[in-house]
Amino acid sequence: MQLKPSPRAISLYYFGIFAVLGVYLPLFPSWLQAQEVQGLAMGAIAATLPAMGLIAPPLFGFIADSLGVRVWLIRAACAGALVAFALLALSSALGVALGFGGLFVAALAFAFFRAPMFTMADVVAIEASLSSGIAYGRLRLWGSISFALMAIVGGALIDTARPAAFPATMTAVLLVAFAVSWTLPAGGEAPFQRLRQQRGAREAAAAPAAPAVEDSVQQRARALLRSRDFRLFLAASFLAQSANSSYDLCYTLHLRDVGFPEALVGVAWAVGVSGEIALMAFSGPLLQRFAPPTLLAFAFAGAALRWALLSSVRWWPALLAIQPLHAVSFAMMWVASLAYTRDRAHPQILATAQGLFSASAGAGSVIGMLVWGELYKRGGGSLTFGVASITASIAFVLAVTFARSTRRSLSGSSVFSASSQCQE
C-alpha cells in the first residue's frame, strides 16, 4: 500500500522550500554585487533561475510519471541544490575566488534542482488533497508565510558584504529543506519495478496477437499537447507570467522613482504577500463554486487592471492600496492554473502536465526579464506597466477562448475545494 503524505508534512515542506527562496531572491543580487559581479554578468547569473524553469520541470515531470515516483525526486532535487550551495559556501569560506564561470555554474546547478523542488511539491499536494479533503491553497499558503518571514529576517541579519555569510545561510536553509523532505513518505514508490513492467509491456506488445497495451505517458502527453484548449492555456500562462515579471523586476524601482516613502517599500511588498496568503487560505470555496478557466480569466483581468493602475497612479497611499490585487493577479492565477492542469490531464501524466505549465510560465519570466529592464530605462514605470497591462489583457482574451473550447466540464475541482470528499 502506498503511503500518502499528510497535509501537515506537505505544509512543512512548503515552509522549508519557500524559506530557501526567501533568502535567495532578495539577497543574491546584493551578494553578487559584493563579489564585484555586475551588469551583464549579474544578469546572466540571475537569469539561470527562470531559464532552468524551462528545462527542469518538464524533464522531472516526465521522469516522475514514467517511473511512478514523486517524493524520491523531491529528495534528489533538494540534495542537488544543497550540494551546489555547500560547495559555494566552502569555496567562500576558504577564500577561493570562483570568478564568473564558477559562480555561473553554481547558480545554474542550484536553479536546475530548485525548479523540481517546487513543481513536484505541487504535484504531491494536488494528489494528497484527494484523500485529505484540505484545499491546495491551505497547504501552499505556508510557503508564502515562510517566504515573507525569511525575507524580513534574512534582510535584517545577513550581511552580504561578508563573502561566506550568504552561501552559508543558503546551505543551512537547504539542509533544513532536505531534512523536511524526508517527512514525506515514499514507501509505495518503486521506480525500478515500474521500469521492469514497462519493459515487459513492450515485449508483450511486440509479440503476435498481443493484447492492447495501455496508453503510455508519451502518448497521453502528446494527446494533451494536441488539444487546442491546453495549448491556449499554455500561451495564456506564458503571457500572464511575462506581465507578472515586470512586478518582480521593476516594482521597487518604480516606487522609489515616484517618491514612495523608502521606509514603506518593504511594507508594500508585505501587503501584497498578505493578500496572496489570504486568497490561498480561502481558495477552496472559490474553486468549488467557479470552474478554473473562469477564475483564470478573472485573474488575468485583475492583473491587467493592476498593471494599468501602477502605470498611471503616483500618489503613494493609492499605490499601497493597489497591492491587495496581488491576491488576484498571482495567487488566484496560480491555484486556478494548477486546478485546470489537474482537471485537464490524465492522472498518469499529472507531473508531466504540471511541468509543461511551469515551463510555459518560466519562459514568460525569462522573456519578461529581458524586456522590462530596457522598457523601464526608456519610459519608466508608465511604459513598463502599461505594456504589462496590454500583455495581461491578451492573456485574458486567450483564457476566455480556451474556457469556451475546453472539451471537458471543469465545474469546480474537488481536489482544490475545502469540501472535497476523502477517498481511501
Side-chain angles (χ1 to χ4, degrees), residues 58-400:
L59 175 62
F60 276 78
F62 181 77
I63 293 172
D65 286 333
S66 298
L67 301 183
V69 294
R70 301 286 190 263
V71 175
W72 278 110
L73 283 182
I74 286 177
R75 294 171 182 170
C78 289
L82 172 60
V83 169
F85 255 101
L87 293 175
L88 187 59
L90 180 62
S91 66
S92 298
L94 295 177
V96 178
L98 295 180
F100 170 77
L103 292 174
F104 182 83
V105 170
L108 192 69
F110 168 73
F112 178 77
F113 289 110
R114 192 278 319 174
M117 285 170 61
F118 290 77
T119 304
M120 293 308 303
D122 286 334
V123 174
V124 169
I126 294 169
E127 293 177 336
S129 295
L130 283 169
S131 58
S132 68
I134 297 180
Y136 162 82
R138 295 182 69 85
L139 303 175
R140 169 61 174 75
L141 67 86
W142 291 101
S144 300
I145 293 172
S146 174
F147 180 91
L149 290 176
M150 288 304 297
I152 294 171
V153 173
L157 299 181
I158 300 172
D159 182 6
T160 54
R162 297 170 53 198
F166 169 74
T169 304
M170 281 292 296
T171 301
V173 178
L174 281 164
L175 181 60
V176 172
F178 175 67
V180 169
S181 73
W182 288 85
T183 65
L184 302 171
E189 297 183 357
F192 296 108
Q193 181 180 354
R194 177 67 68 89
L195 282 174
R196 287 193 295 270
Q197 290 173 348
Q198 291 177 348
R199 189 180 301 113
R202 285 194 297 269
E203 293 173 355
V213 181
E214 183 183 3
D215 288 342
S216 67
V217 171
Q218 298 96 316
Q219 290 171 324
R220 292 191 187 278
R222 283 196 294 267
L224 182 64
L225 282 172
R226 283 196 297 267
S227 62
R228 180 172 180 266
D229 60 292
F230 193 75
R231 293 199 304 269
L232 287 171
F233 163 69
L234 293 179
S237 300
F238 170 87
L239 292 170
Q241 190 56 37
S242 175
N244 281 344
S245 65
S246 67
Y247 175 75
D248 298 331
L249 190 65
C250 303
Y251 181 63
T252 297
L253 299 176
H254 179 60
L255 292 184
R256 290 171 178 167
D257 286 347
V258 299
F260 196 92
E262 187 78 21
L264 295 181
V265 170
V267 174
W269 281 89
V271 170
V273 174
S274 298
E276 173 186 330
I277 293 170
L279 190 135
M280 292 280 186
F282 296 101
S283 60
L286 280 175
L287 283 154
Q288 186 181 14
R289 182 177 178 85
F290 300 103
T294 301
L295 290 178
L296 279 172
F298 187 82
F300 297 155
L305 173 63
R306 183 189 186 192
W307 309 139
L309 290 173
L310 272 179
S311 72
S312 56
V313 172
R314 293 292 182 271
W315 189 42
W316 74 261
L319 285 169
L320 191 62
I322 293 169
Q323 274 300 83
L325 283 174
H326 187 70
V328 177
S329 63
F330 173 73
M332 182 179 290
M333 178 273 293
W334 190 256
V335 296
S337 294
L338 295 188
Y340 178 81
T341 303
R342 172 63 180 85
D343 279 352
R344 193 64 188 82
H346 187 279
Q348 186 186 12
I349 60 166
L350 177 59
T352 302
Q354 174 64 21
L356 291 171
F357 159 65
S358 296
S360 179
S365 292
V366 172
I367 298 301
M369 291 291 182
L370 295 175
V371 170
W372 303 127
E374 185 63 26
L375 281 183
Y376 194 88
K377 187 168 85 171
R378 292 175 180 271
S382 295
L383 176 62
T384 300
F385 292 113
V387 174
S389 178
I390 295 172
T391 305
S393 298
I394 299 173
F396 165 74
V397 173
L398 292 180
V400 172

